Amino acid sequence: MPMEKTFNAAEAEARLYDAWEKAGCFTAGANASRPETFCIMIPPPNVTGSLHMGHAFNNTLQDILVRWHRMRGFDTLWQPGQDHAGIATQMVVERELAKQGISRRDFKRREDFVAKVWEWKQQSGGTIINQLKRLGASCDWSRNAFTMSGAPGAPAGEEGNFHDAVIKVFVDLYTKGFIYRGKRLVNWDPHFETAISDLEVEQVEVDGAMWRLRYPLEDGATWDRPTEWDEDGNVTATEPCPYLVVATTRPETMLGDTGVAVHPEDPRYRHLIGKTVRLPLCGRSIPIVADEYADPAKGTGAVKITPAHDFNDWEVGQRAGLRAINVMTTRAAMWLRDNRDFAEGCDPDLVAKAIERLDGADRYAAREAIINEATDDGWLDGIDPDRHMVPHGDRSKVAIEPYLTDQWFVDTAKIVEPALAAVREGRTKILPEQHEKVYFHWLENIEPWCISRQLWWGHQIPVWYGPRKTVLEDGRTRLSFSISNPKTFCAASKDEAISQMVEYYQIAGPEELEEFSAPAGARDFAEASFGTTFLVGEIERRSDGGTKEFRIPYYRDPDVLDTWFSSGLWPIGTLGWPEDTPELQRYFPTDVLITGFDIIFFWVARMMMMQLAVVNDIPFHTVYVHALVRDEKGKKMSKSLGNVLDPLELIDEFGADAVRFTLTAMAAMGRDLKLSTARIAGYRNFGTKLWNAARFAEMNGVFENHKSGTPPAPAETVNRWIIGETARVRQTVDDALANYRFNDAANALYAFVWGKVCDWYVEFSKPLLLDGTQAQQAETRATMAWVLDQCLILLHPIMPFVTEELWTITGAREKMLVHADWPTYGAELIDAEADREMNWVIDLIEEIRSARAQMGVPAGAQTPMLATQIDPAARTAWDRNEALIRKLARVEKLSEVNDLPKGCVTIAIEGAHLALPLAGIIDVAAEKTRLEKSLAKLDKELAGLMGRLKNPKFIDSAPEDVVEETRDLAEAKQDEAAKLRAALGRLAELG
RNA sequence: GGGUGAUUAGCUCAGUGGUAGAGCGCUUCGUUCACAUCGAAGAUGUCGGGAGUUCGAAUCUCUCAUCACCCA
């Protein structure tokens, strides 16, 4: 049955992938035949994710390396998995619940909400896995990992031990003193009500305003405010001014102002340093401090300082010893009622008024209300329109607040050094190298890493809090309960934490403890039990050691860990650590990480730090950083621009192989790639081309009784030639892949399969297969079968589907192509003689075709050819390949003559004077033009070559082989030019 | 403001000191039995500007211009 004309990707892909999976082709170690291992960890996509172009690119490159190593017999593991994406997943699930009118806060227990998230995960969390399969990703799915597996509440099927790894690492790092809790400003997302990392913040330019506010100076102080300027901007008149003007883009934070900063050298204000201003709205008296942060050239040169609501102000506040007053709730509404910090030092009447007007108002409403009040009361100095950057949460898209809270931090400064050293010393290489700079720059300036998140979905921090103890002089023990400064028990399990508590409090056992699910409950309990007010309760132990009449309250930290804390353990966690599994021993450290540059900080640097801190080894020896996929105009693909190309739609339309090949061919290191569908269609056509070469072979019986195996040793030059070309491309492909030059591999294969095999070899084979002797037919069939096999093998890592399908169709095979042996042949298969000869033949055919086309010879016409001179090498080449030349160049026969007749077209070729007698057809003018053009080009080249050869410095300093090469080239060009000149002479006689 | 990269054919881009390339597009021709998702032929370049190093520069150095991205 003849093959179809094209490969039906839509039909075949699922079938082939299924066959691979069923046969266990992708499991760790499948097809291993040598001791070396090769392991890649997939960068875990979000469990909420669906495949976008970046994934398609990233995973295509991984799959190429993995398939290549597997075929070479490495013990290969491509470890797949997803991360639990704290905020994103919680957002998705909350959105689902909102459709049913349910809010997260309606859940009485967080466990119930988390159960909902697991439910969602079971239903929808596998989306991206199936999408990766459509791309052809050959991951070992039986090992699919998840960063929340094994967490409390995880349902059946999620019983991995990733949770154990995360918790163990937290406890280890805590014990080693690398993790601490502290009150610091963090990026707070008021929508999700959680801290987020710097890296989850994007700067968005927005149109806003600079409001200038007047803060009255106290104690009669004044400064000279300019009132007139000359045309150069110099001040020519001033007047005493009783207030300072501060400019701000965020007037609503003024209730938390605790100072005004001016530059220490600013002559306008120097005399005011140490004096105070009275804060409008609440009457707080705040100092004027000197700090270089205040830029005299910007605004008025006086800056209001709100340490609790601005990162720069926090720094100033630390330097100047200013209070930090939080005036907002976790939802970024004004928090004034019951806010003791706020009320302290303010005018009680004004505070009451402020509470009445502003308490509970959203930050933007408060801003408006404050501006209105300032306008009415005359302390608004003016408004300047201002376009500035505002930080936004990358998930929530709302403006983030710098917010003062208790959070957990990794003291990264203490674990960063080994990660820097590993790259500096080359134990881990980052490609392309320029990214090492980014890595170094970030790690050398690393900030503490805030790892706590106020979410429910994630690994809950394994820390329990209880009262602190003080031993009194009389031997009794006092326990002081404070939410802001509790005693911390960090342990891998609650039981261990309780043991720690029993020991610490020296109590009989857990029955003397009482657990609360939230700090407020513990506080209330402490207050109720000990009759103390507010946060501190005192529990005095009886002298006999008993505490029978009360129990000691404790609670677990409600926060969860940043998702990146768990994905930072991906390399060891997926291999079963903390258990010492065979996989861990076998595959760790892993080999290559392939990832986008946008998560060098997020992930790569953190994996380096964490693996080194935890198991004292690098996680991988190479990091290949790839570029961004953009649309064809070079714009970043984004949903809002509507320029997103969906890889799945592209796979539907062109097939996975075409999409993969396109991405591979465009994967030049360090450059963004601009994707257009025209390009993908082009590579789809390439697949069709390969398909039809196989189809031709099949129709000519090439695959009858074919067995894949060793290269044949044919006699025909053309067969020896193509075998050599195959050997060459194999070397090129291996070199390219070994150096992560994916595009070189793809382009070499494209040029070989289309340009060599299809354009020339298949054409050359036709005379042999159709009219050759039996021996010629047999060896040509064998050669073609072998060559096509090699094409399939070498292309398989890039185009797995069409190659596997052809492999199945074209012969009885011992193994599927996915496990076929990758070849190792090389130079020994290259026959220099055959090479020279076939290149001569190809040159000749191209020369003849070109001359015919330009002379307007009808395409089908056969012409005779004349030779006045032909050297032995050319003669042999002609004789041995006459059938091919005659067929492909439409030449009737070659006759040797003494003189060319008039009206000949010259064919310039090495070692012979050839011409096509085209009297009657020839257009003298056209031929003259053609020859002159060639000659002009030749002369130009020759001039360059001769110029170099005549320069004694070139002869002296250039390497010998370059000089030699230049000489040979010049000689050949001179010969050719002479022939063309002779031809032009003959033409002149004619016309 | 700091950093990184880019500028090569109409378009998208390869090309790390020795004869300027590919794909797409364009023009002309072609239904001979692998393929019209094809074949044959053809046109198109001061390698962003300037200076330097070198026998020799798209390639190395400096400088200017423009663009992009990252970090403030």
Side-chain angles (χ1 to χ4, degrees):
Chain A
M1 192 177 70
M3 286 164 63
E4 295 295 322
K5 275 192 165 187
T6 58
F7 171 58
N8 185 347
E11 176 276 324
E13 286 176 0
R15 167 167 54 76
L16 291 167
Y17 196 94
D18 207 41
W20 288 326
E21 259 205 303
K22 280 219 174 77
C25 295
F26 305 153
T27 51
N31 200 44
S33 61
R34 50 203 274 187
E36 302 102 302
T37 60
F38 182 75
C39 178
I40 290 188
M41 295 282 156
I42 203 169
N46 285 356
V47 66
T48 59
S50 57
L51 196 77
H52 58 59
M53 229 46 229
H55 291 129
F57 184 34
N58 175 257
N59 288 288
T60 296
L61 300 184
Q62 292 178 70
D63 197 37
I64 290 169
L65 290 185
V66 165
R67 286 178 184 266
W68 178 50
H69 280 91
R70 195 187 286 122
M71 289 169 85
R72 291 198 296 160
F74 283 69
D75 177 347
T76 305
L77 165 62
W78 185 7
Q79 173 67 50
Q82 296 77 44
D83 79 35
H84 65 274
I87 293 190
T89 308
Q90 189 158 315
M91 183 170 82
V92 168
V93 174
E94 288 191 58
R95 200 181 287 150
E96 288 293 311
L97 290 170
K99 285 181 193 160
Q100 307 158 39
I102 306 171
S103 145
R104 170 157 69 98
R105 282 157 221 293
D106 296 338
F107 288 84
K108 288 208 184 68
R109 302 180 328 135
R110 84 192 258 162
E111 290 77 11
D112 299 335
F113 176 79
V114 168
K116 282 279 174 207
V117 181
W118 277 115
E119 222 172 83
W120 172 88
K121 197 262 176 186
Q122 304 282 87
Q123 273 173 19
S124 316
T127 307
I128 198 155
I129 295 176
N130 294 318
Q131 293 173 329
L132 284 168
K133 289 181 179 180
R134 290 216 48 204
L135 186 70
S138 63
C139 305
D140 182 354
W141 296 110
S142 68
R143 299 184 49 83
N144 190 53
F146 184 48
T147 51
M148 274 291 277
S149 70
E158 301 283 358
E159 48 278 279
N161 68 341
F162 212 100
H163 178 74
D164 298 348
V166 172
I167 297 301
K168 181 172 167 53
V169 166
F170 184 96
V171 175
D172 282 359
L173 294 182
Y174 176 87
T175 311
K176 289 177 182 160
F178 299 159
I179 288 185
Y180 63 90
R181 186 168 186 253
K183 198 183 247 328
R184 292 176 49 127
L185 275 191
V186 294
N187 294 302
W188 186 265
D189 187 315
H191 175 79
F192 292 114
E193 296 178 73
T194 176
I196 58 176
S197 84
D198 290 352
L199 303 168
E200 290 158 304
V201 172
E202 46 190 39
Q203 301 292 333
V204 180
E205 198 171 37
V206 298
D207 282 317
M210 268 291 204
W211 285 276
R212 297 196 307 271
L213 307 177
R214 296 174 176 174
Y215 287 6
L217 287 154
E218 295 189 307
D219 305 320
T222 62
W223 63 289
D224 295 327
R225 187 178 193 183
T227 51
E228 284 176 32
W229 294 265
D230 66 15
E231 52 200 20
D232 296 331
N234 299 312
V235 176
T236 54
T238 61
E239 64 178 23
C241 178
Y243 52 80
L244 276 183
V245 178
V246 297
T248 180
T249 56
R250 308 200 50 206
E252 67 277 14
T253 62
M254 68 173 285
L255 292 166
D257 284 2
T258 56
V260 172
V262 298
H263 194 275
E265 307 299 328
D266 194 330
R268 293 168 295 182
Y269 306 125
R270 213 162 28 194
H271 66 288
L272 296 176
I273 294 166
K275 297 201 177 333
T276 55
V277 294
R278 188 176 156 84
L279 194 59
L281 286 182
C282 63
R284 183 183 304 135
S285 182
I286 60 176
I288 297 164
V289 300
D291 198 291
E292 294 187 356
Y293 167 66
D295 180 353
K298 258 170 76 179
T300 60
V303 194
K304 73 193 238 350
I305 300 297
T306 325
H309 292 282
D310 183 285
F311 287 101
N312 290 315
D313 292 6
W314 171 261
E315 298 293 324
V316 176
Q318 294 291 100
R319 287 193 288 268
L322 302 177
R323 291 168 62 202
I325 301 175
N326 178 10
V327 292
M328 285 193 203
T329 67
T330 55
R331 298 195 192 198
M334 302 313 293
W335 170 47
L336 306 177
R337 193 182 301 280
D338 298 331
N339 185 338
R340 288 153 50 111
D341 277 348
F342 164 65
E344 194 181 324
C346 292
D347 177 330
D349 294 341
L350 288 177
V351 166
K353 212 171 125 190
I355 288 174
E356 186 189 319
R357 295 189 186 186
L358 297 171
D359 184 60
D362 172 78
R363 53 187 163 170
Y364 299 111
R367 177 181 300 177
E368 206 181 328
I370 288 172
I371 293 306
N372 287 339
E373 193 144 332
T375 310
D376 294 346
D377 293 352
W379 46 276
L380 180 69
D381 192 72
I383 306 173
D384 307 309
D386 186 43
R387 200 167 162 73
H388 54 268
M389 301 300 260
V390 176
H392 281 67
D394 64 355
R395 298 265 172 211
S396 65
K397 306 296 175 199
V398 303
I400 67 111
E401 280 295 331
Y403 199 64
L404 192 59
T405 50
D406 285 310
Q407 300 288 348
W408 285 96
F409 295 89
V410 173
D411 194 349
T412 39
K414 288 187 179 155
I415 58 168
V416 73
E417 201 40 54
L420 282 165
V423 175
R424 227 181 259 132
E425 292 159 12
R427 279 177 287 135
T428 294
K429 266 209 286 289
I430 299 180
L431 298 173
E433 259 176 54
Q434 71 226 32
H435 286 287
E436 291 192 353
K437 287 187 192 167
V438 181
Y439 175 88
F440 286 135
H441 182 259
W442 194 70
L443 285 183
E444 280 160 4
N445 298 287
I446 195 157
E447 298 276 324
W449 173 17
C450 174
I451 50 170
S452 42
R453 296 290 182 272
Q454 289 64 48
L455 302 171
W456 282 356
W457 174 239
H459 299 286
Q460 192 173 355
I461 291 176
V463 166
W464 286 260
Y465 302 111
R468 273 183 188 283
K469 80 175 179 195
T470 335
V471 180
L472 302 176
E473 279 175 14
D474 61 7
R476 289 182 308 155
T477 306
R478 172 185 292 167
L479 301 179
S480 309
F481 186 86
S482 159
I483 285 181
S484 58
N485 185 24
K487 170 66 189 172
T488 301
F489 303 93
C490 176
S493 69
K494 188 162 140 189
D495 287 347
E496 284 172 48
I498 286 175
S499 315
Q500 287 182 23
M501 290 180 215
V502 168
E503 192 180 330
Y504 178 79
Y505 296 118
Q506 296 183 303
I507 52 180
E511 65 278 7
E512 293 190 35
L513 297 166
E514 170 125 9
E515 185 181 12
F516 293 86
S517 62
R523 183 189 61 200
D524 293 347
F525 173 82
E527 286 179 10
S529 306
F530 322 125
T532 52
T533 54
F534 208 54
L535 298 183
V536 179
E538 291 194 343
I539 307 166
E540 291 186 12
R541 291 169 58 84
R542 296 198 314 253
S543 51
D544 64 5
T547 49
K548 295 281 184 289
E549 66 270 32
F550 58 82
R551 287 189 279 181
I552 300 173
Y554 73 97
Y555 63 95
R556 183 171 182 175
D557 192 311
D559 292 353
V560 299
L561 288 163
D562 179 10
T563 307
W564 295 104
F565 188 88
S566 19
S567 8
L569 300 170
W570 194 241
I572 51 174
T574 50
L575 294 175
W577 188 90
E579 282 172 52
D580 189 18
T581 61
E583 287 81 6
L584 192 66
Q585 291 188 2
R586 205 160 176 65
Y587 298 112
F588 189 85
T590 71
D591 291 273
V592 187
L593 177 77
I594 296 193
T595 187
F597 70 89
D598 49 338
I599 56 176
I600 289 180
F601 322 115
F602 263 128
W603 195 46
V604 179
R606 285 167 181 180
M607 276 193 286
M608 290 291 290
M609 287 193 291
M610 290 178 82
Q611 258 56 213
L612 283 161
V614 174
V615 292
N616 193 28
D617 208 343
I618 52 167
F620 24 68
H621 60 65
T622 300
V623 179
Y624 174 88
V625 177
H626 62 73
L628 219 60
V629 184
R630 295 167 181 280
D631 76 357
E632 55 193 313
K633 291 182 191 114
K635 286 229 165 60
K636 201 169 165 171
M637 289 191 187
S638 80
K639 279 182 195 152
S640 53
L641 283 173
N643 62 347
V644 178
L645 283 177
D646 180 349
L648 296 167
E649 283 174 19
L650 295 174
I651 290 172
D652 287 341
E653 186 174 357
F654 300 105
D657 292 325
V659 173
R660 291 170 59 114
F661 202 97
T662 307
L663 293 168
T664 310
M666 295 175 81
M669 248 193 254
R671 287 282 291 247
D672 286 347
L673 44 124
K674 299 178 189 170
L675 200 59
S676 75
T677 51
R679 194 83 188 250
I680 305 172
Y683 290 118
R684 187 261 328 264
N685 297 353
F686 174 63
T688 306
K689 192 75 184 172
L690 174 70
W691 180 268
N692 276 292
R695 184 166 180 262
F696 168 82
E698 200 256 359
M699 292 167 93
N700 285 279
V702 164
F703 298 114
E704 280 163 27
N705 304 317
H706 168 57
K707 276 196 194 139
S708 39
T710 49
E716 289 296 318
T717 320
V718 62
N719 287 330
R720 284 185 288 134
W721 165 76
I722 196 65
I723 288 172
E725 291 289 348
T726 310
R728 252 191 211 114
V729 78
R730 192 241 101 209
Q731 286 174 312
T732 307
V733 168
D734 274 334
D735 285 352
L737 292 181
N739 292 295
Y740 305 94
R741 303 182 62 92
F742 298 96
N743 56 321
D744 286 353
N747 291 329
L749 283 165
Y750 186 97
F752 171 69
V753 172
W754 199 317
K756 291 267 173 16
V757 176
C758 294
D759 284 350
W760 292 108
Y761 181 65
V762 169
E763 294 306 324
F764 286 154
S765 76
K766 285 177 182 173
L768 295 173
L769 288 174
L770 301 174
D771 306 321
T773 64
Q774 233 171 16
Q776 283 175 324
Q777 286 186 12
E779 72 156 60
T780 303
R781 283 200 193 102
T783 305
M784 184 174 283
W786 180 81
V787 167
L788 287 173
D789 274 1
Q790 304 312 304
C791 291
L792 299 181
I793 293 169
L794 296 174
L795 277 170
H796 179 78
I798 309 180
M799 308 185 99
F801 293 107
V802 67
T803 51
E804 183 76 76
E805 181 77 344
L806 285 172
W807 184 260
T808 310
I809 292 175
T810 53
R813 315 288 190 169
E814 285 173 19
K815 297 196 281 190
M816 279 195 269
L817 181 58
V818 64
H819 283 174
D821 295 334
W822 189 266
T824 54
Y825 48 71
E828 76 281 4
L829 294 186
I830 297 172
D831 178 335
E833 190 71 20
D835 237 35
R836 220 171 8 252
E837 191 174 309
M838 290 319 294
N839 284 329
W840 186 87
V841 170
I842 289 171
D843 276 353
L844 176 60
I845 293 169
E846 284 181 334
E847 283 294 329
I848 298 171
R849 281 172 171 174
S850 176
R852 286 169 56 109
Q854 287 179 68
M855 290 306 107
V857 177
Q862 299 281 328
T863 58
M865 193 157 82
L866 306 176
T868 52
Q869 184 214 320
I870 183 161
D871 72 13
R875 181 82 241 180
T876 311
W878 173 274
D879 286 345
R880 285 217 290 235
N881 301 282
E882 184 174 357
L884 322 181
I885 301 167
R886 286 177 49 193
K887 181 163 164 42
L888 296 179
R890 307 271 160 88
V891 173
E892 276 173 344
K893 59 171 186 173
L894 176 70
S895 324
E896 293 192 50
V897 293
N898 289 328
D899 292 301
L900 292 175
K902 294 191 170 178
C904 270
V905 171
T906 299
I907 303 299
I909 188 81
E910 196 184 343
H913 270 166
L914 301 177
L916 299 174
L918 294 174
I921 299 175
I922 185 168
D923 176 339
V924 176
E927 172 67 350
K928 187 158 175 270
T929 311
R930 187 179 77 97
L931 292 176
E932 278 170 348
K933 200 173 160 192
S934 303
L935 198 53
K937 194 178 160 206
L938 218 47
D939 280 341
K940 196 179 149 200
E941 285 170 5
L942 215 42
L945 293 170
M946 293 317 286
R948 283 204 272 162
L949 287 170
K950 277 183 192 145
N951 185 341
K953 284 185 179 170
F954 172 69
I955 307 291
D956 290 347
S957 16
E960 212 165 302
D961 55 328
V962 171
V963 177
E964 193 57 33
E965 201 180 310
T966 310
R967 270 204 194 101
D968 290 352
L969 199 61
E971 208 172 306
K973 298 273 176 197
Q974 258 160 347
D975 280 359
E976 207 181 324
K979 281 183 210 164
L980 292 180
R981 269 185 245 281
L984 273 170
R986 282 196 305 277
L987 217 52
E989 289 169 20
L990 195 67

